[in-house]
mmCIF file of all heavy atoms in Angstrom:
data_model
loop_
_atom_site.group_PDB
_atom_site.id
_atom_site.type_symbol
_atom_site.label_atom_id
_atom_site.label_comp_id
_atom_site.label_asym_id
_atom_site.label_seq_id
_atom_site.Cartn_x
_atom_site.Cartn_y
_atom_site.Cartn_z
ATOM 1 N N TRP A 213 2.844 -4.006 6.414
ATOM 2 C CA TRP A 213 3.215 -2.594 6.525
ATOM 3 C C TRP A 213 2.156 -1.808 7.296
ATOM 4 O O TRP A 213 2.482 -0.985 8.159
ATOM 5 C CB TRP A 213 3.425 -1.996 5.144
ATOM 6 C CG TRP A 213 3.560 -0.506 5.134
ATOM 7 C CD1 TRP A 213 2.690 0.408 4.608
ATOM 8 C CD2 TRP A 213 4.644 0.268 5.687
ATOM 9 N NE1 TRP A 213 3.151 1.687 4.795
ATOM 10 C CE2 TRP A 213 4.357 1.626 5.456
ATOM 11 C CE3 TRP A 213 5.818 -0.073 6.356
ATOM 12 C CZ2 TRP A 213 5.204 2.656 5.871
ATOM 13 C CZ3 TRP A 213 6.669 0.951 6.770
ATOM 14 C CH2 TRP A 213 6.358 2.293 6.525
ATOM 15 N N ILE A 214 0.887 -2.066 7.006
ATOM 16 C CA ILE A 214 -0.184 -1.355 7.712
ATOM 17 C C ILE A 214 -0.125 -1.656 9.212
ATOM 18 O O ILE A 214 -0.261 -0.754 10.041
ATOM 19 C CB ILE A 214 -1.557 -1.745 7.138
ATOM 20 C CG1 ILE A 214 -1.711 -1.182 5.716
ATOM 21 C CG2 ILE A 214 -2.701 -1.235 8.020
ATOM 22 C CD1 ILE A 214 -2.920 -1.717 4.966
ATOM 23 N N ARG A 215 0.092 -2.906 9.570
ATOM 24 C CA ARG A 215 0.094 -3.268 10.986
ATOM 25 C C ARG A 215 1.315 -2.741 11.729
ATOM 26 O O ARG A 215 1.203 -2.277 12.875
ATOM 27 C CB ARG A 215 0.004 -4.785 11.153
ATOM 28 C CG ARG A 215 0.037 -5.229 12.627
ATOM 29 C CD ARG A 215 -0.459 -6.640 12.787
ATOM 30 N NE ARG A 215 -1.870 -6.747 12.436
ATOM 31 C CZ ARG A 215 -2.520 -7.898 12.329
ATOM 32 N NH1 ARG A 215 -1.887 -9.043 12.541
ATOM 33 N NH2 ARG A 215 -3.797 -7.916 12.007
ATOM 34 N N TYR A 216 2.493 -2.801 11.108
ATOM 35 C CA TYR A 216 3.710 -2.486 11.842
ATOM 36 C C TYR A 216 4.445 -1.241 11.356
ATOM 37 O O TYR A 216 5.454 -0.862 11.943
ATOM 38 C CB TYR A 216 4.650 -3.690 11.820
ATOM 39 C CG TYR A 216 4.054 -4.879 12.549
ATOM 40 C CD1 TYR A 216 3.685 -6.032 11.871
ATOM 41 C CD2 TYR A 216 3.815 -4.812 13.917
ATOM 42 C CE1 TYR A 216 3.114 -7.107 12.543
ATOM 43 C CE2 TYR A 216 3.236 -5.876 14.595
ATOM 44 C CZ TYR A 216 2.893 -7.020 13.902
ATOM 45 O OH TYR A 216 2.314 -8.071 14.576
ATOM 46 N N GLY A 217 3.922 -0.601 10.314
ATOM 47 C CA GLY A 217 4.584 0.594 9.819
ATOM 48 C C GLY A 217 3.698 1.807 9.696
ATOM 49 O O GLY A 217 4.080 2.908 10.097
ATOM 50 N N GLU A 218 2.508 1.613 9.146
ATOM 51 C CA GLU A 218 1.628 2.750 8.864
ATOM 52 C C GLU A 218 0.170 2.359 9.097
ATOM 53 O O GLU A 218 -0.592 2.148 8.145
ATOM 54 C CB GLU A 218 1.835 3.215 7.414
ATOM 55 C CG GLU A 218 1.188 4.537 7.086
ATOM 56 C CD GLU A 218 1.411 4.962 5.633
ATOM 57 O OE1 GLU A 218 2.214 4.318 4.925
ATOM 58 O OE2 GLU A 218 0.762 5.940 5.219
ATOM 59 N N PRO A 219 -0.239 2.269 10.359
ATOM 60 C CA PRO A 219 -1.605 1.826 10.659
ATOM 61 C C PRO A 219 -2.695 2.683 10.015
ATOM 62 O O PRO A 219 -3.778 2.187 9.736
ATOM 63 C CB PRO A 219 -1.663 1.914 12.193
ATOM 64 C CG PRO A 219 -0.240 1.758 12.637
ATOM 65 C CD PRO A 219 0.573 2.450 11.591
ATOM 66 N N GLY A 220 -2.406 3.962 9.777
ATOM 67 C CA GLY A 220 -3.412 4.839 9.186
ATOM 68 C C GLY A 220 -3.296 4.977 7.683
ATOM 69 O O GLY A 220 -3.818 5.941 7.103
ATOM 70 N N MET A 221 -2.663 4.025 7.013
ATOM 71 C CA MET A 221 -2.468 4.121 5.556
ATOM 72 C C MET A 221 -3.809 4.269 4.850
ATOM 73 O O MET A 221 -4.759 3.514 5.090
ATOM 74 C CB MET A 221 -1.745 2.874 5.050
ATOM 75 C CG MET A 221 -1.331 2.946 3.596
ATOM 76 S SD MET A 221 -0.509 1.398 3.078
ATOM 77 C CE MET A 221 0.359 1.953 1.611
ATOM 78 N N SER A 222 -3.894 5.241 3.952
ATOM 79 C CA SER A 222 -5.150 5.500 3.252
ATOM 80 C C SER A 222 -5.460 4.400 2.256
ATOM 81 O O SER A 222 -4.563 3.710 1.758
ATOM 82 C CB SER A 222 -5.081 6.837 2.520
ATOM 83 O OG SER A 222 -4.177 6.763 1.429
ATOM 84 N N ARG A 223 -6.744 4.248 1.954
ATOM 85 C CA ARG A 223 -7.144 3.263 0.945
ATOM 86 C C ARG A 223 -6.579 3.651 -0.420
ATOM 87 O O ARG A 223 -6.221 2.781 -1.215
ATOM 88 C CB ARG A 223 -8.678 3.189 0.891
ATOM 89 C CG ARG A 223 -9.209 2.073 -0.012
ATOM 90 C CD ARG A 223 -8.860 0.703 0.536
ATOM 91 N NE ARG A 223 -9.366 -0.364 -0.291
ATOM 92 C CZ ARG A 223 -9.942 -1.462 0.181
ATOM 93 N NH1 ARG A 223 -10.072 -1.634 1.493
ATOM 94 N NH2 ARG A 223 -10.383 -2.403 -0.621
ATOM 95 N N ALA A 224 -6.475 4.950 -0.682
ATOM 96 C CA ALA A 224 -5.919 5.397 -1.967
ATOM 97 C C ALA A 224 -4.480 4.929 -2.124
ATOM 98 O O ALA A 224 -4.067 4.480 -3.203
ATOM 99 C CB ALA A 224 -6.000 6.917 -2.067
ATOM 100 N N ASP A 225 -3.684 5.020 -1.040
ATOM 101 C CA ASP A 225 -2.293 4.560 -1.118
ATOM 102 C C ASP A 225 -2.215 3.040 -1.201
ATOM 103 O O ASP A 225 -1.311 2.487 -1.840
ATOM 104 C CB ASP A 225 -1.498 5.061 0.084
ATOM 105 C CG ASP A 225 -0.914 6.447 -0.141
ATOM 106 O OD1 ASP A 225 -1.090 6.990 -1.248
ATOM 107 O OD2 ASP A 225 -0.280 6.989 0.780
ATOM 108 N N GLN A 226 -3.147 2.343 -0.555
ATOM 109 C CA GLN A 226 -3.186 0.885 -0.685
ATOM 110 C C GLN A 226 -3.451 0.490 -2.136
ATOM 111 O O GLN A 226 -2.800 -0.408 -2.679
ATOM 112 C CB GLN A 226 -4.256 0.307 0.238
ATOM 113 C CG GLN A 226 -3.955 0.466 1.714
ATOM 114 C CD GLN A 226 -5.033 -0.111 2.601
ATOM 115 O OE1 GLN A 226 -5.486 -1.242 2.383
ATOM 116 N NE2 GLN A 226 -5.467 0.637 3.608
ATOM 117 N N ASP A 227 -4.408 1.162 -2.760
ATOM 118 C CA ASP A 227 -4.709 0.888 -4.172
ATOM 119 C C ASP A 227 -3.523 1.241 -5.060
ATOM 120 O O ASP A 227 -3.215 0.528 -6.024
ATOM 121 C CB ASP A 227 -5.940 1.678 -4.626
ATOM 122 C CG ASP A 227 -7.235 1.142 -4.044
ATOM 123 O OD1 ASP A 227 -7.237 -0.003 -3.543
ATOM 124 O OD2 ASP A 227 -8.248 1.864 -4.088
ATOM 125 N N ARG A 228 -2.869 2.333 -4.728
ATOM 126 C CA ARG A 228 -1.706 2.755 -5.521
ATOM 127 C C ARG A 228 -0.604 1.709 -5.437
ATOM 128 O O ARG A 228 0.064 1.404 -6.447
ATOM 129 C CB ARG A 228 -1.209 4.114 -5.009
ATOM 130 C CG ARG A 228 -0.064 4.699 -5.830
ATOM 131 C CD ARG A 228 0.355 6.048 -5.269
ATOM 132 N NE ARG A 228 1.667 6.431 -5.745
ATOM 133 C CZ ARG A 228 2.463 7.313 -5.154
ATOM 134 N NH1 ARG A 228 2.054 7.907 -4.048
ATOM 135 N NH2 ARG A 228 3.649 7.602 -5.647
ATOM 136 N N TYR A 229 -0.383 1.142 -4.259
ATOM 137 C CA TYR A 229 0.632 0.103 -4.116
ATOM 138 C C TYR A 229 0.295 -1.109 -4.988
ATOM 139 O O TYR A 229 1.161 -1.628 -5.706
ATOM 140 C CB TYR A 229 0.745 -0.322 -2.651
ATOM 141 C CG TYR A 229 1.653 -1.517 -2.436
ATOM 142 C CD1 TYR A 229 3.031 -1.400 -2.562
ATOM 143 C CD2 TYR A 229 1.119 -2.773 -2.144
ATOM 144 C CE1 TYR A 229 3.863 -2.495 -2.379
ATOM 145 C CE2 TYR A 229 1.955 -3.875 -1.955
ATOM 146 C CZ TYR A 229 3.319 -3.720 -2.072
ATOM 147 O OH TYR A 229 4.138 -4.804 -1.908
ATOM 148 N N VAL A 230 -0.948 -1.570 -4.931
ATOM 149 C CA VAL A 230 -1.354 -2.720 -5.747
ATOM 150 C C VAL A 230 -1.149 -2.408 -7.224
ATOM 151 O O VAL A 230 -0.659 -3.249 -7.992
ATOM 152 C CB VAL A 230 -2.821 -3.102 -5.467
ATOM 153 C CG1 VAL A 230 -3.265 -4.225 -6.396
ATOM 154 C CG2 VAL A 230 -3.000 -3.524 -4.014
ATOM 155 N N ARG A 231 -1.507 -1.193 -7.626
ATOM 156 C CA ARG A 231 -1.346 -0.798 -9.027
ATOM 157 C C ARG A 231 0.127 -0.745 -9.420
ATOM 158 O O ARG A 231 0.503 -1.176 -10.519
ATOM 159 C CB ARG A 231 -2.022 0.564 -9.239
ATOM 160 C CG ARG A 231 -2.087 1.023 -10.684
ATOM 161 C CD ARG A 231 -3.096 2.153 -10.848
ATOM 162 N NE ARG A 231 -2.825 3.301 -9.981
ATOM 163 C CZ ARG A 231 -3.546 3.621 -8.902
ATOM 164 N NH1 ARG A 231 -4.583 2.887 -8.540
ATOM 165 N NH2 ARG A 231 -3.238 4.680 -8.179
ATOM 166 N N GLU A 232 0.967 -0.230 -8.537
ATOM 167 C CA GLU A 232 2.405 -0.182 -8.825
ATOM 168 C C GLU A 232 2.987 -1.572 -9.025
ATOM 169 O O GLU A 232 3.860 -1.775 -9.885
ATOM 170 C CB GLU A 232 3.144 0.514 -7.680
ATOM 171 C CG GLU A 232 2.928 2.005 -7.590
ATOM 172 C CD GLU A 232 3.563 2.619 -6.350
ATOM 173 O OE1 GLU A 232 4.116 1.866 -5.523
ATOM 174 O OE2 GLU A 232 3.508 3.847 -6.212
ATOM 175 N N MET A 233 2.505 -2.544 -8.270
ATOM 176 C CA MET A 233 3.072 -3.884 -8.336
ATOM 177 C C MET A 233 2.782 -4.597 -9.652
ATOM 178 O O MET A 233 3.343 -5.659 -9.924
ATOM 179 C CB MET A 233 2.574 -4.712 -7.157
ATOM 180 C CG MET A 233 3.122 -4.235 -5.807
ATOM 181 S SD MET A 233 4.932 -4.199 -5.760
ATOM 182 C CE MET A 233 5.267 -5.951 -5.716
ATOM 183 N N ALA A 234 1.947 -3.997 -10.478
ATOM 184 C CA ALA A 234 1.750 -4.535 -11.829
ATOM 185 C C ALA A 234 3.056 -4.502 -12.624
ATOM 186 O O ALA A 234 3.241 -5.288 -13.557
ATOM 187 C CB ALA A 234 0.671 -3.743 -12.564
ATOM 188 N N ARG A 235 3.979 -3.618 -12.248
ATOM 189 C CA ARG A 235 5.275 -3.542 -12.935
ATOM 190 C C ARG A 235 6.093 -4.810 -12.727
ATOM 191 O O ARG A 235 6.977 -5.126 -13.536
ATOM 192 C CB ARG A 235 6.070 -2.334 -12.426
ATOM 193 C CG ARG A 235 5.356 -1.023 -12.610
ATOM 194 C CD ARG A 235 6.143 0.143 -12.039
ATOM 195 N NE ARG A 235 5.279 1.296 -11.878
ATOM 196 C CZ ARG A 235 5.685 2.514 -11.541
ATOM 197 N NH1 ARG A 235 6.975 2.728 -11.341
ATOM 198 N NH2 ARG A 235 4.833 3.496 -11.390
ATOM 199 N N ILE A 236 5.816 -5.518 -11.654
ATOM 200 C CA ILE A 236 6.454 -6.806 -11.407
ATOM 201 C C ILE A 236 5.626 -7.930 -12.015
ATOM 202 O O ILE A 236 6.159 -8.873 -12.605
ATOM 203 C CB ILE A 236 6.601 -7.049 -9.889
ATOM 204 C CG1 ILE A 236 7.426 -5.939 -9.238
ATOM 205 C CG2 ILE A 236 7.223 -8.421 -9.617
ATOM 206 C CD1 ILE A 236 8.836 -5.842 -9.726
#
């Protein structure tokens, strides 16, 4: 996603994504 969708994705949003995936 960072490479082909959102190159400027913040580290906070990256951490949030990892945290969200705990639901899986």
